[in-house]
Amino acid sequence: MVSAKTVGDVRDVAANIRENVQKIIVGKDDAINLALVALLCKGHALLEDVPGTGKTTMAKALAQSLGCDFHRIQCTPDLMPSDVLGVNFYNQKVGEFEFREGPVFSQIVLTDEINRATPRTQSSLLEAMQERQATIDGDSMTLPEPFMVMATQNPVEMEGTFPLPEAQLDRFMVRIVIGYPTSEEEGQIYKRFEDDPVPPAVDAVTNSQDLEALQGVPPRVRVDDSVRSYIVDVITSTRDNAGLSLGASPRAGLALYKASQAWAALEGRDFVTPDDVKLLARSVLPHRLILSSAARLRGNSADQIVDDVLDTVEVPIERQ
């Protein structure tokens, strides 16, 4: 039996995971932390940036560090739902049908270039991401715990891609933009991989049992009534924003609430601050919002509108 975990345990394990991943990835503390936030909240992460910034490498290193079952799905236009979920086949040796599990029956599923899969295949992940089960030929099967989908996509190259629908995007708790490294970090990358361009595998620093116990910590992180009201104000402000035709849903608000608790736990705190909410809002909300036609014509982005909302909503003052 695994003993109960505390915010101190979350902070220490997160530090070990960051150090382990950074044997492969240079820097990117915030990106790794956001992926851990999604994991702690039993959510999913969308890694988005141009090719070559380390999306897939970071996801693989993180999965290896967690000590969980891991499968990678390389998305292409000819990928079928059965390639993701699995298939029933007739075994002639035993004279009956058997089920062959697909890669979705793993604890960590890396879905590479998810926007290259067809909408039908993309939608096959919806039930798995939301309900943690998969239905094949009318039979529902429970997925293993912990379960997390890390999907990557390139937002620049649109040829041969199928943009994710809003319902699919809404299932991702956080969107992580990797970003270019600094000049110093890029020099370290060249030096680290000058002999072998293939990143080595890293050892696990935790296991699935400990992760399940750690997932019980964020719900115990205290959220003051004033901070809870602040989250509500941020969410409702997106619905009244003239630059948006679709604001944040209650699911988005709940994701922001839980993500703020997880971030506080990563910092070793048992309480959420307004700064946690402001920080997480930039990763939890933009990919769920739909811009109005006028906002698109003006060249606005969802990230800019979220920043505007955070600038205008009154922040609760810390109680003495």
Side-chain angles (χ1 to χ4, degrees):
M1 180 177 179
V2 179
S3 59
K5 301 295 183 179
T6 66
V7 292
D9 294 322
V10 173
R11 178 193 58 209
D12 294 343
V13 171
N16 291 337
I17 292 173
R18 275 196 304 273
E19 181 181 354
N20 207 47
V21 172
Q22 286 170 342
K23 294 176 182 177
I24 306 299
I25 295 292
V26 177
K28 306 304 179 190
D29 282 16
D30 286 346
I32 298 170
N33 280 338
L34 286 171
L36 291 175
V37 163
L39 179 67
L40 287 171
C41 296
K42 300 183 180 181
H44 312 284
L46 178 64
L47 283 67
E48 185 176 87
D49 218 317
V50 296
T53 51
K55 302 184 298 294
T56 303
T57 302
M58 191 189 88
K60 284 185 65 177
L62 181 61
Q64 291 167 353
S65 300
L66 298 175
C68 294
D69 293 335
F70 167 72
H71 271 96
R72 175 179 175 178
I73 303 171
Q74 187 64 51
C75 292
T76 57
D78 60 350
L79 187 75
M80 299 295 292
S82 58
D83 297 326
V84 175
L85 301 177
V87 63
N88 284 308
F89 71 100
Y90 186 73
N91 188 331
Q92 292 183 337
K93 290 183 178 180
V94 297
E96 59 184 33
F97 281 92
E98 293 182 2
F99 177 65
R100 180 184 292 129
E101 292 183 348
V104 77
F105 286 89
S106 303
Q107 293 170 315
I108 306 294
V109 180
L110 170 58
T111 311
D112 215 8
E113 298 285 357
I114 189 172
N115 55 338
R116 293 201 175 280
T118 61
R120 183 183 176 193
T121 302
Q122 290 174 7
S123 65
S124 67
L125 285 169
L126 275 176
E127 182 184 14
M129 293 173 68
Q130 184 63 31
E131 301 177 34
R132 285 175 151 66
Q133 68 176 25
T135 301
I136 298 95
D137 295 339
D139 295 325
S140 295
M141 306 177 192
T142 303
L143 298 176
E145 291 286 351
F147 175 73
M148 179 184 182
V149 173
M150 287 190 289
T152 70
Q153 72 170 353
N154 170 14
V156 177
E157 186 181 359
M158 291 292 105
E159 185 176 351
T161 65
F162 304 87
L164 293 175
E166 288 72 28
Q168 185 89 8
L169 286 170
D170 200 33
R171 263 62 176 189
F172 288 101
M173 171 165 269
V174 294
R175 183 195 61 161
I176 304 173
V177 179
I178 304 297
Y180 287 119
T182 64
S183 298
E184 181 181 351
E185 290 173 342
E186 189 142 0
Q188 293 179 37
I189 293 172
Y190 299 164
K191 185 176 181 179
R192 183 175 294 183
F193 297 107
E194 62 184 353
D195 294 327
D196 187 357
V198 180
V202 294
D203 296 327
V205 297
T206 186
N207 55 61
S208 58
Q209 290 79 18
D210 280 340
L211 285 175
E212 285 193 75
L214 291 172
Q215 287 176 335
V217 175
R220 303 200 304 267
V221 172
R222 181 169 57 86
V223 183
D224 189 80
D225 289 342
S226 61
V227 177
R228 186 179 297 106
S229 297
Y230 177 58
I231 295 174
V232 172
D233 291 342
V234 169
I235 294 299
T236 54
S237 293
T238 65
R239 299 170 190 168
D240 301 329
N241 193 290
L244 297 174
S245 60
L246 181 66
S249 66
R251 181 189 286 134
L254 186 59
L256 180 57
Y257 184 92
K258 291 182 176 180
S260 300
Q261 289 177 302
W263 188 271
L266 288 177
E267 296 287 317
R269 287 184 279 106
D270 63 355
F271 60 92
V272 173
T273 69
D275 284 341
D276 297 329
V277 177
K278 294 181 74 170
L279 178 66
L280 271 300
R282 295 179 171 90
S283 298
V284 173
L285 299 182
H287 63 285
R288 306 168 186 266
L289 308 177
I290 298 180
L291 294 173
S292 65
S293 299
R296 285 198 298 269
L297 288 173
R298 289 194 297 267
N300 291 345
S301 68
D303 298 88
Q304 292 172 331
I305 290 177
V306 169
D307 284 339
D308 291 342
V309 167
L310 295 174
D311 288 340
T312 55
V313 175
E314 184 178 357
V315 180
I317 299 175
E318 182 179 0
R319 294 178 178 176
Q320 299 299 321

